[in-house]
Amino acid sequence: MNRNSSSAKTLRRVLGELEGQKHLVVLSFLLALASVAGTLFVPILVGRAIDEIVGPGQVDFGALGRIGMQIAATAAVVALSQWLMNIINNKITFRVTREVRQKAFAHLQTLPLSYLDAHPSGEIVSRMISDTEQFADGLLLGFTQLFTGVLTIAGTLGFMLSLDWRITLVVVVLTPLSLFAAKFIATRTYDMFKLQSKTLGEQTALVGEMLDGERVVQAFSRERQAVEAFDEINGRLKKYTLRATFFSSLTNPVTRFVNSIVYACVALTGALVAVTGGITVGGLSVFLSYANQYAKPFNEISGVVTELQNAIACAARIFEIIDAPEVEESDAQHLDEVKGRIVFEDVAFSYDPAKPLIEHLNLSVEPGQRIAIVGPTGSGKTTLINLLMRFYETTQGSITVDGVDIRCIPRANLRENFGMVLQETWLKEGTIRENLMFANPNATEEQMIQAAKTSHAHEFIKRLPKGYDTYIKGDDGNLSQGEKQLLCIARLMLALPPMLILDEATSSIDTRTEMKIQEAFQKMMEGRTTFVVAHRLSTIREADVILYMQDGKVLEQGNHKELLQKNGYYAKLYRSQFICDK
């Protein structure tokens, strides 16, 4: 698709977003009509006043006074119309941008993890915030000047025809020069503004990435390389911005130059007509005023078109999020009173079709069993969990829960029956209480405190300035990584769904606390099907089934004793770790 058709498609999409604001658009148009009508009526009144002054006989000051009152009344109507129109245009613009931003954010919640993994979070944030703001600015400018500009052109042309068709013909013949100049510039600005927005997204992503990992950057003395990477993106942003600004800045001087030529030609032609008595001095004054007003909107519309090109480029990036294919949802069967029997049957999956990861995986888990998954990094342990939670879909085979294929279960229903604690802790901005209740909003105060005590988080929470009402941010430096993980464990214990997933759930906790939490986990796992991903093999000796995975395949399967007697991969890994622990 070429840039013109892409731009036109996006523009149609933007106009479609205005469907819900039809009444305001119509009202804005009527106010613009009143404003333009008043603005065009003033030169007629001024022309009459001039003819009263230069006409034969004495000056009729009474008539001049009445004309002055009419001019004042008309100016007041114009001012009021423009004030109301600006209020309405702001409402239209920010309602549309609010709805677009809401659609984009709501759609983000339905996108597969594969989309989010493929796009840096900083780039998505840039589209949601910066691009939406620039889209709003362009849309507001379009509403503010486009209606009045088009109506002014049509109105002045009509009035000029009523005064003298010969002078009007000069204006009409020269008008295409201004249109050609505006089109020439506008067609060259869209690509530059699109590259500018894209590069700004890259810069936002890099800044977010560096801020998140600033401790690591400084620990490895990579500040210079970080600055170099930023400078490279900043250099490209400067280049694209300067090019976009260069083309857009041509609009005003070029159209003003063309408009000056039109004005000079009108003045010369009008003077010749006035000398022959074809038009009065006041009429010529009105005509020159109209010629100036006729040319002015072309200058403004050219500027609007340039800004709209930027707005459309930004809108296209936002619509890319909205149009991204969401995960297919199914509501064929709901899980009720889950027992927790899970079966993997000939499951295959790969992130990249050219690089198979999991192939022919078969696994049968009985209700209440504890399944430990071990193996080297990249063996597919977390991928197995992602497939179970339907964060990714299998490319072959099936996974069933209580005999129901998970592809037939709504994701929300499937996931509400699982509780997860991940190695990567996530806490939302808010109070400790809000973070714990996130898993179970209907829990009581007593249940919340009991969950915190069971997870050994209660003691450090009480030491915080406001206890459970202490406000934290997701990356709050006042909490250690271990304390954050304890809060995540407490959050899970407050929900207690029928199936659990513990992915390195105690990796950031000291050994003494871990031993206590393991006791709590033992109670929590009773009667619940549990998947445990662990590197510390001492924590999984009591598991019913241990899976040793490597290169996406389950190479060994059994309990701790059986696998040690087998003296295979697991035994080798366990003994090496046991020796290291010693």
Side-chain angles (χ1 to χ4, degrees), residues 126-141:
S126 179
R127 294 191 188 201
M128 292 285 296
I129 305 300
S130 300
D131 287 350
T132 308
E133 289 299 326
Q134 292 186 52
F135 167 56
D137 291 342
L139 196 61
L140 179 60
L141 189 64

Side-chain angles (χ1 to χ4, degrees), residues 154-176:
T156 51
L157 193 61
F159 277 116
M160 286 190 293
L161 280 171
S162 67
L163 290 171
D164 191 289
W165 67 269
R166 293 165 295 181
I167 308 175
T168 306
L169 185 62
V170 174
V171 176
V172 173
V173 169
L174 294 175
T175 295

Side-chain angles (χ1 to χ4, degrees), residues 35-240:
S35 173
V36 170
T39 303
L40 297 182
F41 186 55
V42 169
I44 294 177
L45 296 174
V46 172
R48 290 176 184 173
I50 292 174
D51 284 339
E52 286 289 342
I53 295 172
V54 301
Q58 292 183 338
V59 177
D60 187 348
F61 288 101
L64 285 177
R66 288 190 294 274
I67 292 173
M69 292 293 290
Q70 290 175 334
I71 291 174
T74 304
V77 170
V78 170
L80 180 62
S81 299
Q82 289 180 345
W83 177 64
L84 292 173
M85 184 177 68
N86 286 335
I87 291 176
I88 290 171
N89 288 343
N90 273 281
K91 280 189 176 182
I92 295 171
T93 298
F94 294 112
R95 281 183 181 179
V96 169
T97 51
R98 179 193 63 191
E99 289 172 5
V100 168
R101 187 176 279 155
Q102 284 175 336
K103 285 181 182 178
F105 186 78
H107 192 68
L108 274 176
Q109 312 310 309
T110 68
L111 293 179
L113 283 180
S114 55
Y115 178 90
L116 301 177
D117 289 343
H119 294 79
S121 58
E123 181 190 346
I124 295 176
V125 170
S126 179
R127 294 191 188 201
M128 292 285 296
I129 305 300
S130 300
D131 287 350
T132 308
E133 289 299 326
Q134 292 186 52
F135 167 56
D137 291 342
L139 196 61
L140 179 60
L141 189 64
F143 273 109
T144 303
Q145 296 186 0
L146 199 58
F147 279 173
T148 54
V150 171
L151 289 172
T152 299
I153 291 170
T156 51
L157 193 61
F159 277 116
M160 286 190 293
L161 280 171
S162 67
L163 290 171
D164 191 289
W165 67 269
R166 293 165 295 181
I167 308 175
T168 306
L169 185 62
V170 174
V171 176
V172 173
V173 169
L174 294 175
T175 295
L177 288 176
S178 186
L179 295 174
F180 174 77
K183 186 176 186 304
F184 176 81
I185 295 168
T187 54
R188 282 156 180 77
T189 56
Y190 178 75
D191 287 345
M192 290 299 106
F193 279 122
K194 192 166 186 179
L195 284 170
Q196 180 190 22
S197 297
K198 181 181 177 183
T199 310
L200 184 61
E202 287 182 44
Q203 190 179 65
T204 305
L206 178 67
V207 171
E209 182 181 274
M210 291 299 104
L211 288 176
D212 288 342
E214 188 60 31
R215 286 183 178 85
V216 178
V217 172
Q218 292 186 17
F220 286 95
S221 301
R222 304 294 289 181
E223 296 93 337
R224 183 173 59 82
Q225 287 81 355
V227 172
E228 287 174 356
F230 180 85
D231 287 344
E232 189 275 328
I233 297 176
N234 211 30
R236 283 191 285 120
L237 181 61
K238 172 190 172 184
K239 180 176 69 174
Y240 297 141

Side-chain angles (χ1 to χ4, degrees), residues 373-388:
I373 309 170
V374 300
T377 301
S379 61
K381 302 187 295 296
T382 301
T383 300
L384 197 68
I385 302 303
N386 287 337
L387 294 177
L388 185 60

Side-chain angles (χ1 to χ4, degrees), residues 276-509:
T276 60
I279 192 172
T280 66
V281 176
L284 178 58
S285 172
V286 174
F287 216 110
L288 289 174
S289 178
Y290 280 154
N292 190 42
Q293 289 191 43
Y294 178 77
K296 187 180 178 183
F298 283 104
N299 191 39
E300 292 177 346
I301 290 174
S302 299
V304 169
V305 168
T306 301
E307 289 298 323
L308 280 177
Q309 291 291 336
N310 185 21
I312 290 170
C314 292
R317 283 167 50 81
I318 302 166
F319 290 145
E320 282 177 10
I321 293 179
I322 297 174
D323 294 338
E326 61 185 40
V327 291
E328 295 181 3
E329 194 55 279
S330 172
D331 58 356
Q333 288 183 265
H334 279 252
L335 292 177
D336 297 308
E337 298 182 4
V338 174
K339 295 178 180 177
R341 187 174 192 278
I342 299 173
V343 177
F344 289 75
E345 186 174 350
D346 197 30
V347 169
F349 173 78
S350 64
Y351 296 101
D352 182 353
K355 300 176 181 178
L357 177 58
I358 293 178
E359 295 181 292
H360 307 296
L361 173 62
N362 292 282
L363 175 65
S364 181
V365 181
E366 295 302 320
Q369 278 192 325
R370 304 171 193 177
I371 310 300
I373 309 170
V374 300
T377 301
S379 61
K381 302 187 295 296
T382 301
T383 300
L384 197 68
I385 302 303
N386 287 337
L387 294 177
L388 185 60
M389 293 288 288
R390 288 192 71 191
F391 291 142
Y392 289 88
E393 298 288 0
T394 60
T395 53
Q396 178 184 311
S398 65
I399 303 173
T400 62
V401 175
D402 290 349
V404 181
D405 193 316
I406 62 173
R407 288 171 295 193
C408 299
I409 305 170
R411 285 177 175 80
N413 178 235
L414 174 69
R415 292 167 185 168
E416 71 185 8
N417 286 287
F418 279 99
M420 292 184 70
V421 176
L422 303 178
Q423 184 176 6
E424 300 84 9
T425 58
W426 180 83
L427 299 171
K428 74 184 189 74
E429 186 171 344
T431 63
I432 297 285
R433 184 188 310 279
E434 289 170 346
N435 272 281
L436 296 180
M437 301 289 271
F438 188 82
N440 185 4
N442 298 319
T444 64
E445 181 84 3
E446 291 74 18
Q447 289 173 325
M448 178 192 69
I449 294 175
Q450 184 57 46
K453 286 180 177 178
T454 306
S455 66
H456 299 274
H458 180 71
E459 290 302 320
F460 88 80
I461 293 174
K462 295 303 290 182
R463 291 195 299 269
L464 294 174
K466 295 182 180 179
Y468 286 89
D469 293 314
T470 301
Y471 194 87
I472 62 171
K473 293 185 178 180
D475 56 350
D476 200 321
N478 294 326
L479 296 179
S480 69
Q481 192 66 25
E483 288 171 335
K484 293 177 184 177
Q485 203 158 37
L486 288 177
L487 290 177
C488 293
I489 293 171
R491 183 170 60 194
L492 171 65
M493 289 181 172
L494 190 59
L496 282 184
M499 295 178 288
L500 304 174
I501 295 173
L502 308 176
D503 189 350
E504 290 295 331
T506 58
S507 60
S508 300
I509 299 171

